[in-house]
Amino acid sequence: MTTTKNPVGRTTSQGWEIGIRRTFSIEPHQAWELLFTQPLLSSWLDDKADLPFEKGNTYTTQTGITIMVSSVTIGKVIRIKWQQPGDPQTSTLQIRIIPAKEKTTISFHHEWLKNEQERELMKNYWSRVLDEISRQLNA
């Protein structure tokens, strides 16, 4: 009998995905504000990004990544279609703000990634964003 086990990060329904989160000593509304305004916005989009993050908003970064806001529950969750430059396919990014007692967890869940290599790239990408949040909060 042969069994095949899916590698870590590969699902049967949403392709490759990555989920990464970290808890910070801030209020949920502060986390939301931090994520969607400069200077932190430059760490995950670019330093020119300035949009209201409402359903239907589209933005293309200086590096060619295009995002389209699919849905928003202000202060809680946003879903974004994420398109790498030159790629006709999109992936889906979900950013959640989760109250955790006197702290707040910021969660990035990125699904419909093409392969294990893209999963690893996005894992590193979102880890760097969480590191930058830590840096800005401790500055």
Side-chain angles (χ1 to χ4, degrees):
M1 182 169 134
T2 304
T3 60
T4 31
K5 185 177 177 185
N6 270 344
V8 172
R10 186 171 183 192
T11 70
T12 54
S13 61
Q14 287 142 341
W16 290 89
E17 64 182 11
I18 183 65
I20 188 164
R21 61 177 57 196
R22 200 171 299 164
T23 302
F24 300 96
S25 294
I26 57 176
E27 297 289 322
H29 71 278
Q30 293 171 302
W32 187 265
E33 183 73 18
L34 182 67
L35 279 168
F36 297 106
T37 58
Q38 298 293 355
L40 186 69
L41 197 52
S42 68
S43 71
W44 68 274
L45 283 180
D46 64 34
D47 60 358
K48 304 283 189 232
D50 182 23
L51 64 156
F53 289 94
E54 296 170 348
K55 185 176 180 177
N57 284 158
T58 301
Y59 180 77
T60 301
T61 69
Q62 296 167 5
T63 61
I65 295 167
T66 300
I67 65 161
M68 197 271 291
V69 179
S70 304
S71 66
V72 181
T73 302
I74 303 271
K76 293 185 179 188
V77 64
I78 186 168
R79 288 181 61 84
I80 295 171
K81 292 293 183 188
W82 184 278
Q83 187 173 23
Q84 297 287 353
D87 190 345
Q89 295 181 336
T90 61
S91 57
T92 301
L93 170 65
Q94 180 174 273
I95 303 172
R96 294 179 49 121
I97 304 298
I98 306 163
K101 296 188 181 182
E102 294 87 31
K103 299 179 180 185
T104 300
T105 299
I106 298 174
S107 168
F108 296 100
H109 184 84
H110 207 148
E111 59 192 30
W112 294 106
L113 301 170
K114 283 191 294 255
N115 53 39
E116 192 171 10
Q117 292 76 25
E118 187 176 36
R119 178 186 184 271
E120 191 63 27
L121 280 172
M122 297 318 294
K123 177 182 177 185
N124 292 334
Y125 191 91
W126 298 118
S127 290
R128 285 191 305 273
V129 172
L130 291 170
D131 290 345
E132 180 60 20
I133 292 169
S134 291
R135 192 189 70 68
Q136 286 189 25
L137 290 173
N138 294 319

